[in-house]
Amino acid sequence: MNELLKKYGLICWVTNSFRKEDALISGAIVKPAGRSNHKVGHAIDFNLQLIATGEWFNTAKMRDKKGIDNVFLEELDQTPELRWGGKFTVQDEVHIDDGLNRDNPKLWDEIYMAVNA
């Protein structure tokens, strides 16, 4: 992800990451999933900023599927390690995770139990 950010001249501002089960999420754009990767520290929510101009890319800007942010996010989504929430059935443009809940649900359960003990 860092190499792609450099390639496109972007800064990633993390707005949310690990969340405990009972965390209150103010201003959530998308209702948190029951088996969210946030709950095991395997997801972030973010905004982007173009270094050259300071242009800010939030949910609305990422949702328009135009611009350098979209080029970056499309390439990011093609990496085998990361998934972009803009491609989810319920789109979540400001979300990136590693798919642990889908790819290794047993490990997801183990981590969840450990962090919520």
Side-chain angles (χ1 to χ4, degrees):
M1 181 173 169
N2 287 335
E3 292 305 312
L4 288 177
L5 288 164
K6 288 180 201 175
K7 177 180 177 179
Y8 292 106
L10 294 164
I11 297 170
C12 176
W13 294 93
V14 176
T15 59
N16 205 293
S17 57
F18 172 73
R19 301 178 189 150
K20 292 282 263 178
E21 178 62 43
D22 57 355
L24 296 175
I25 311 302
S26 62
I29 304 296
V30 175
K31 181 182 177 192
R35 290 181 59 87
S36 169
N37 283 311
H38 286 286
K39 294 179 180 180
V40 294
H42 281 249
I44 64 168
D45 289 339
F46 67 100
N47 286 280
L48 296 170
Q49 186 176 24
L50 187 59
I51 294 169
T53 65
E55 183 178 5
W56 192 255
F57 301 95
N58 58 12
T59 300
K61 292 286 271 182
M62 289 183 219
R63 190 171 281 159
D64 72 11
K65 306 285 196 267
K66 299 176 188 172
I68 194 74
D69 60 318
N70 190 58
V71 177
F72 163 79
L73 291 164
E74 289 289 340
E75 189 169 342
L76 179 92
D77 194 56
Q78 297 304 311
T79 66
E81 301 86 8
L82 298 172
R83 305 185 308 163
W84 173 45
K87 295 290 180 93
F88 292 0
T89 302
V90 176
Q91 294 181 0
D92 187 0
E93 288 81 359
V94 297
H95 177 95
I96 295 171
D97 71 31
D98 65 359
L100 183 68
N101 57 356
R102 175 198 66 198
D103 298 336
N104 195 338
K106 184 177 183 224
L107 180 56
W108 188 98
D109 289 340
E110 290 171 10
I111 296 170
Y112 178 83
M113 294 305 291
V115 298
N116 285 287

